[in-house]
Amino acid sequence: MANRAEIPTSNSALIAMIADEDTVVGFLLAGVGNVDLRRKTNYLIVDSKTTVKQIEDAFKEFTSRDDIAIVLISQYVANMIRFLVDSYNKPVPAILEVPSKDHPYDPGRDSVLSRVKYLFSAESVASGRR
Amino acid sequence: MEEQDSETQSSGSGGEEETLKLEPEGLRHDVEDQHVLQFLDSLDGYITLMDSLSLTLRQGWLELASARHSMGASRVNSALLNLKFHSASTSLQVTRNDVDSEANEANFTLCKWASSNSGHSSAGEKFREDKLQTKHDSPDLRHRSKSQFSDETSVQSGASLVADDHVQRERSKSLSVFGTLVSPKLRAAQLSFETALEMLVEIANTRSTMLSAFNRVKKGLEDIKS
């Protein structure tokens, strides 16, 4: 396949988070928090003061790091940078959209499901039958 | 008569060729159906897992809110998070799943509560290895003498106790960010988020399978069009 990206294998990859405070604190209790020598964390807590630029920068940083295998992002935060999330198509790190307290999960907005619903459109089925 | 026979033979051989041509076609359709089924199964699994994740996260948030209520908002907030250098106790192992030459699936494995100190062999992983060792040895245990059996089970139970102690220590270390004495609700929230983490890894693997199956089905459709 022409656009097949290589999967970087790793024995101790991290889980990055871009989410609200409660979600981040909860997962940090589960032991996923990492702070490197430069005091850079593997999470960004999004609140009312967080700008879209900060979210974009965090997303670009986490998806370009070799030591991160999964990026958790609250779906309402992903909606703020939807273009960036939908245009991402590498296998690793995997982008997982999770619900938040005030915004339940909407399968219609999920970037992975949006990508595959092409198969269920009438056009694709009809063109296959011609 | 001979001409009829030769015609029959030639039509017979042509029929065999047609059968041979049809067999690869039939096999191709079977393979394509298999890809479609795999895609639909993984899609269903993905949506079901996301529903379960929502329920687990909701429970975790509720427990966290209860802990905040009992301990006070100043004791359970992000301002207390440890910003000193430390590595994650829970990490992932990423391997490549070579189903076939076209597949490019990533496989994620969760390593919970490995040592947060770098350079030490992680007791979390050790816990998994001991479990595997137990499973491997269990059929042979029946053929050994009682004393050996009791020695081995005591060693295995000792090893699992060591691993349990290590996991409990790592959990306490994680909770200690919010103080020495914490509400039981905070401990419950920790367990809920651990469960959510396991689900997320399962979701990541299902996502990987779904995208791989989707690419194969899409390629099959493009081949039909061309």
Side-chain angles (χ1 to χ4, degrees):
Chain A
M1 290 171 75
N3 296 327
R4 203 173 81 161
E6 272 301 312
I7 293 173
T9 57
S10 170
N11 278 332
S12 57
L14 302 171
I15 299 172
M17 293 167 285
I18 306 173
D20 58 287
E21 182 179 345
D22 277 5
T23 306
V24 170
V25 166
F27 283 117
L28 291 181
L29 280 174
V32 301
N34 187 83
V35 181
D36 66 9
L37 288 164
R38 288 174 295 172
R39 285 192 142 198
K40 283 185 105 172
T41 59
N42 61 328
Y43 56 88
L44 172 71
I45 295 176
V46 176
D47 55 22
S48 52
K49 293 173 194 164
T50 313
T51 61
V52 174
K53 177 85 173 48
Q54 283 175 303
I55 297 168
E56 278 180 6
D57 290 344
F59 183 83
K60 286 175 188 168
E61 188 209 323
F62 292 153
T63 50
S64 58
R65 276 169 64 168
D66 293 332
D67 58 345
I68 290 176
I70 291 178
V71 177
L72 299 183
I73 181 166
S74 292
Q75 197 173 45
Y76 83 97
V77 176
N79 290 339
M80 294 180 199
I81 55 166
R82 182 50 66 194
F83 178 73
L84 208 58
V85 173
D86 283 354
S87 58
Y88 176 85
N89 58 4
K90 288 188 223 165
V92 176
I95 310 299
L96 301 182
E97 295 182 32
V98 297
S100 60
K101 283 186 308 186
D102 305 321
H103 302 88
Y105 175 70
D106 180 4
R109 304 296 302 267
D110 191 314
S111 64
V112 172
L113 296 181
S114 304
R115 220 190 298 178
V116 302
K117 74 179 179 187
Y118 148 84
L119 276 181
F120 298 102
S121 71
E123 279 179 13
S124 68
V125 172
S127 61
R129 283 182 185 160
R130 279 187 216 122
Chain B
M1 193 73 168
E2 285 176 353
E3 284 174 357
Q4 281 178 355
D5 285 342
S6 64
E7 275 176 7
T8 314
Q9 278 177 7
S10 63
S11 66
S13 63
E16 281 173 7
E17 281 174 11
E18 281 175 11
T19 312
L20 283 170
K21 275 182 196 169
L22 281 170
E23 277 178 359
E25 275 292 315
L27 192 65
R28 204 169 68 113
H29 285 310
D30 285 343
V31 170
E32 282 167 4
D33 287 346
Q34 194 185 348
H35 291 158
V36 169
L37 277 171
Q38 191 183 31
F39 167 70
L40 291 173
D41 279 342
S42 50
L43 179 64
D44 180 58
Y46 183 86
I47 293 171
T48 307
L49 282 167
M50 288 304 285
D51 277 342
S52 306
L53 175 72
S54 296
L55 286 171
T56 308
L57 283 175
R58 218 173 292 154
Q59 190 181 349
W61 291 321
L62 188 62
E63 283 157 353
L64 201 57
S66 302
R68 191 175 280 128
H69 178 73
S70 61
M71 290 168 63
S74 58
R75 283 194 60 195
V76 183
N77 68 66
S78 55
L80 300 169
L81 293 175
N82 185 10
L83 291 175
K84 292 181 197 168
F85 165 68
H86 69 274
S87 40
S89 309
T90 299
S91 59
L92 293 169
Q93 199 176 37
V94 184
T95 50
R96 189 176 152 182
N97 197 8
D98 282 322
V99 177
D100 55 42
S101 59
E102 291 180 358
N104 195 28
E105 275 182 49
N107 189 52
F108 302 90
T109 311
L110 188 65
C111 303
K112 275 169 58 172
W113 301 119
S115 172
S116 52
N117 297 324
S118 57
H120 291 257
S121 63
S122 55
E125 284 173 3
K126 186 174 178 295
F127 175 64
R128 289 188 299 120
E129 282 167 15
D130 285 345
K131 258 191 138 175
L132 288 168
Q133 192 64 30
T134 310
K135 280 181 189 170
H136 177 73
D137 286 343
S138 55
D140 300 331
L141 284 172
R142 291 180 220 132
H143 302 293
R144 298 191 181 180
S145 66
K146 278 186 185 174
S147 58
Q148 277 179 320
F149 177 78
S150 59
D151 284 345
E152 280 173 6
T153 47
S154 64
V155 163
Q156 284 161 9
S157 60
S160 63
L161 278 171
V162 165
D164 281 341
D165 281 344
H166 172 82
V167 167
Q168 288 309 320
R169 270 203 307 274
E170 289 292 326
R171 282 200 177 114
S172 302
K173 210 159 95 176
S174 188
L175 287 168
S176 64
V177 167
F178 301 104
T180 318
L181 288 171
V182 296
S183 162
K185 285 291 180 185
L186 196 65
R187 291 180 198 278
Q190 185 180 50
L191 291 173
S192 295
F193 278 97
E194 277 184 45
T195 309
L197 210 53
E198 287 162 14
M199 282 182 187
L200 280 164
V201 172
E202 229 180 299
I203 289 170
N205 285 326
T206 307
R207 171 189 179 275
S208 186
T209 307
M210 180 170 63
L211 289 174
S212 174
F214 167 72
N215 287 330
R216 278 187 235 127
V217 169
K218 193 174 153 194
K219 187 172 181 293
L221 283 174
E222 282 164 6
D223 287 346
I224 291 169
K225 280 181 198 173
S226 60

